[in-house]
Amino acid sequence: MMNRLFVALIGIPILVFILLNGGLPLLIFSNLIILIGLYEFYRMAELGGKKPFKILGYIGGMLIPNLLYFNYPKNIEVSMIFPLVLILLGTMGMRVLKNKVEESSDCVGITILGVMYVSILFSHLILMSKLPNGGKWLLAVQILVWVCDSFAYFTGISMGRKFFKNGFSVISPKKSVEGSIGGIVFTVLTLYLMNKYVGLITGEYSFYIIIILGLAISILAQIGDLGESMFKREFKIKDSGKLLGEHGGILDRFDSILFVVPTVYYILKFFTF
């Protein structure tokens, strides 16, 4: 309990400052999270019997946020695709030169999956920070993920299995349909109130965009959480790591953000910019 409190008291103010201000602190933060996240993902994969090319994965994964940051707004697509091409050529080339056949697709695939899952998704924080009100949106998204997670939990505790007898997912049997619905409702309501008093989006269609964003955030936050749980179940791991003590690993803390930030970024680009 004390460990959780300590991490929250120290980590939350730092996270708020980084998300609101962006710039170099956000780049450093992104590099750190991506590096640790890749380490945790590849470690889980190895414990599950996979053999990723970790060095190539680290190199490719660290290239993406830095290329995006220093090239923006030019060459966004190249900044994300080039490292993947580099990893694909490198991993397949190494297998060919070593005359390895067995499990080649697993080795190549898990290496690229790690970079796409951790680095490409998390690097969208940098892209969102460059949008108008980008810092406000990053902080809003993080708050909404916390809201969704908290109210899904409390709704599930108080009302779970009363209307829908079956669990929400075999991936995480303790989660209930009622909890999931509660997370969605309170996330949409919170975003509506935040927009009303902070003014994240204005205009004739702002109400509809807010509803779309609220639904997307709450649904994708839960999918991101379940997605990481899916990997942990496959690899037979309880937590992605122990870096944050009782909070688990980096991926345990940022699994929802990995899915939510890219989704919100593209919705904002499509509807408002």
Side-chain angles (χ1 to χ4, degrees):
M1 181 64 181
M2 289 301 296
N3 177 271
R4 285 179 176 268
L5 183 61
F6 176 77
V7 170
L9 288 175
I10 299 298
I12 291 177
I14 294 174
L15 182 62
V16 169
F17 172 82
I18 290 172
L19 295 179
L20 274 177
N21 291 277
L24 193 58
L26 181 62
L27 177 63
I28 295 171
F29 173 72
S30 298
N31 275 279
L32 184 62
I33 296 299
I34 288 170
L35 182 60
I36 298 173
L38 282 170
Y39 168 79
E40 290 181 353
F41 183 82
Y42 289 145
R43 172 184 165 274
M44 289 194 301
E46 287 180 325
L47 291 173
K50 310 296 182 181
K51 297 177 181 179
F53 291 96
K54 293 186 290 185
I55 300 301
L56 278 173
Y58 293 144
I59 293 172
M62 299 307 292
L63 275 174
I64 293 170
N66 292 284
L67 288 174
L68 285 173
Y69 183 84
F70 290 107
N71 283 331
Y72 188 89
K74 299 178 180 179
N75 301 320
I76 293 177
E77 297 83 1
V78 173
S79 297
M80 288 193 280
I81 294 174
F82 166 69
L84 294 179
V85 173
L86 180 68
I87 294 169
L88 180 60
L89 295 177
T91 51
M92 291 187 68
M94 289 174 64
R95 296 295 291 187
V96 170
L97 292 175
K98 290 182 178 181
N99 288 316
K100 297 287 186 179
V101 175
E102 294 80 9
E103 299 180 340
S104 290
S105 60
D106 272 3
C107 296
V108 175
I110 203 70
T111 305
I112 295 176
L113 175 60
V115 174
M116 294 184 69
Y117 175 57
V118 179
S119 185
I120 285 185
L121 294 184
F122 199 83
S123 292
H124 279 77
L125 270 76
I126 294 173
L127 292 177
M128 186 181 289
S129 72
K130 303 292 187 180
L131 297 177
N133 288 326
K136 288 183 180 180
W137 270 111
L138 283 176
L139 182 57
V141 165
Q142 181 61 79
I143 292 172
L144 290 166
V145 167
W146 287 334
V147 167
C148 182
D149 183 59
S150 299
F151 279 97
Y153 173 78
F154 289 120
T155 306
I157 289 294
S158 61
M159 299 175 59
R161 304 298 200 280
K162 292 184 178 179
F163 299 98
F164 301 92
K165 300 303 181 185
N166 296 325
F168 178 69
S169 171
V170 295
I171 296 173
S172 187
K174 292 183 179 180
K175 295 185 184 297
S176 65
V177 176
E178 291 89 343
S180 176
I181 295 173
I184 293 171
V185 170
F186 281 100
T187 302
V188 174
L189 178 60
T190 302
L191 180 55
Y192 171 78
L193 294 174
M194 289 174 68
N195 187 63
K196 182 177 179 180
Y197 293 106
V198 179
L200 293 168
I201 291 180
T202 58
E204 183 180 357
Y205 300 104
S206 60
F207 174 79
Y208 303 102
I209 297 173
I210 288 298
I211 297 299
I212 292 171
L213 281 167
L215 290 172
I217 291 169
S218 54
I219 292 170
L220 269 297
Q222 296 182 64
I223 292 177
D225 178 41
L226 289 170
E228 199 231 353
S229 296
M230 175 183 69
F231 287 135
K232 289 191 292 188
R233 279 190 173 274
E234 179 188 359
F235 300 142
K236 297 177 174 60
I237 302 296
K238 184 178 184 295
D239 295 314
S240 66
K242 299 295 182 182
L243 181 65
L244 301 178
E246 296 175 13
H247 286 278
I250 287 297
L251 291 181
D252 294 321
R253 291 300 92 203
F254 290 97
D255 50 6
S256 296
I257 287 293
L258 289 174
F259 273 52
V260 171
V261 169
T263 303
V264 173
Y265 171 76
Y266 290 115
I267 290 175
L268 290 175
K269 289 285 287 185
F270 181 80
F271 284 109
T272 62
F273 303 115

